[in-house]
PDB file of all heavy atoms in Angstrom:
ATOM      1  N   GLY L 329     -11.615  14.676  15.887  1.00  0.00           N
ATOM      2  CA  GLY L 329     -12.193  14.915  17.198  1.00  0.00           C
ATOM      3  C   GLY L 329     -11.954  16.436  17.577  1.00  0.00           C
ATOM      4  O   GLY L 329     -12.847  17.116  18.010  1.00  0.00           O
ATOM      5  N   GLY L 367     -22.712   7.322  -4.447  1.00  0.00           N
ATOM      6  CA  GLY L 367     -23.406   8.271  -5.425  1.00  0.00           C
ATOM      7  C   GLY L 367     -24.079   9.457  -4.883  1.00  0.00           C
ATOM      8  O   GLY L 367     -24.485  10.267  -5.621  1.00  0.00           O
ATOM      9  N   GLY L 373     -22.608  24.899  -3.334  1.00  0.00           N
ATOM     10  CA  GLY L 373     -22.749  26.107  -3.943  1.00  0.00           C
ATOM     11  C   GLY L 373     -21.618  26.412  -5.051  1.00  0.00           C
ATOM     12  O   GLY L 373     -20.506  26.732  -4.637  1.00  0.00           O
ATOM     13  N   MET L 436      -2.419  -2.751  -0.540  1.00  0.00           N
ATOM     14  CA  MET L 436      -3.513  -3.031  -1.461  1.00  0.00           C
ATOM     15  C   MET L 436      -3.392  -4.330  -2.277  1.00  0.00           C
ATOM     16  O   MET L 436      -4.428  -4.868  -2.685  1.00  0.00           O
ATOM     17  CB  MET L 436      -3.740  -1.828  -2.395  1.00  0.00           C
ATOM     18  CG  MET L 436      -4.139  -0.608  -1.641  1.00  0.00           C
ATOM     19  SD  MET L 436      -4.543   0.714  -2.703  1.00  0.00           S
ATOM     20  CE  MET L 436      -4.398   2.070  -1.478  1.00  0.00           C
ATOM     21  N   GLU L 444      -9.448  -3.829  -8.947  1.00  0.00           N
ATOM     22  CA  GLU L 444      -9.743  -3.874 -10.389  1.00  0.00           C
ATOM     23  C   GLU L 444     -11.276  -3.341 -10.473  1.00  0.00           C
ATOM     24  O   GLU L 444     -11.530  -2.556 -11.446  1.00  0.00           O
ATOM     25  CB  GLU L 444      -9.656  -5.242 -10.896  1.00  0.00           C
ATOM     26  CG  GLU L 444      -9.754  -5.301 -12.462  1.00  0.00           C
ATOM     27  CD  GLU L 444      -9.543  -6.747 -13.028  1.00  0.00           C
ATOM     28  OE1 GLU L 444      -9.316  -7.596 -12.196  1.00  0.00           O
ATOM     29  OE2 GLU L 444      -9.643  -6.828 -14.199  1.00  0.00           O
ATOM     30  N   VAL L 473      -3.320   5.832 -12.940  1.00  0.00           N
ATOM     31  CA  VAL L 473      -4.426   4.853 -13.031  1.00  0.00           C
ATOM     32  C   VAL L 473      -4.018   3.660 -13.817  1.00  0.00           C
ATOM     33  O   VAL L 473      -4.252   2.501 -13.568  1.00  0.00           O
ATOM     34  CB  VAL L 473      -5.572   5.589 -13.775  1.00  0.00           C
ATOM     35  CG1 VAL L 473      -6.761   4.574 -13.982  1.00  0.00           C
ATOM     36  CG2 VAL L 473      -6.089   6.761 -12.852  1.00  0.00           C
ATOM     37  N   ASN L 521      18.214 -10.458   1.850  1.00  0.00           N
ATOM     38  CA  ASN L 521      18.811 -10.816   3.028  1.00  0.00           C
ATOM     39  C   ASN L 521      17.940 -10.327   4.259  1.00  0.00           C
ATOM     40  O   ASN L 521      17.866  -9.093   4.531  1.00  0.00           O
ATOM     41  CB  ASN L 521      20.172 -10.429   3.150  1.00  0.00           C
ATOM     42  CG  ASN L 521      20.837 -10.885   4.538  1.00  0.00           C
ATOM     43  OD1 ASN L 521      20.098 -11.331   5.386  1.00  0.00           O
ATOM     44  ND2 ASN L 521      22.142 -10.857   4.537  1.00  0.00           N
ATOM     45  N   ALA L 623      13.246 -26.703 -12.831  1.00  0.00           N
ATOM     46  CA  ALA L 623      11.725 -26.806 -12.551  1.00  0.00           C
ATOM     47  C   ALA L 623      11.109 -25.419 -12.540  1.00  0.00           C
ATOM     48  O   ALA L 623      10.005 -25.267 -13.220  1.00  0.00           O
ATOM     49  CB  ALA L 623      11.516 -27.563 -11.245  1.00  0.00           C
ATOM     50  N   GLY L 632       4.181 -18.887 -19.560  1.00  0.00           N
ATOM     51  CA  GLY L 632       4.284 -17.752 -20.429  1.00  0.00           C
ATOM     52  C   GLY L 632       4.698 -16.560 -19.798  1.00  0.00           C
ATOM     53  O   GLY L 632       4.391 -15.447 -20.201  1.00  0.00           O
TER      54      GLY L 632
END
Side-chain angles (χ1 to χ4, degrees):
M436 293 188 198
E444 188 177 2
V473 176
N521 180 343

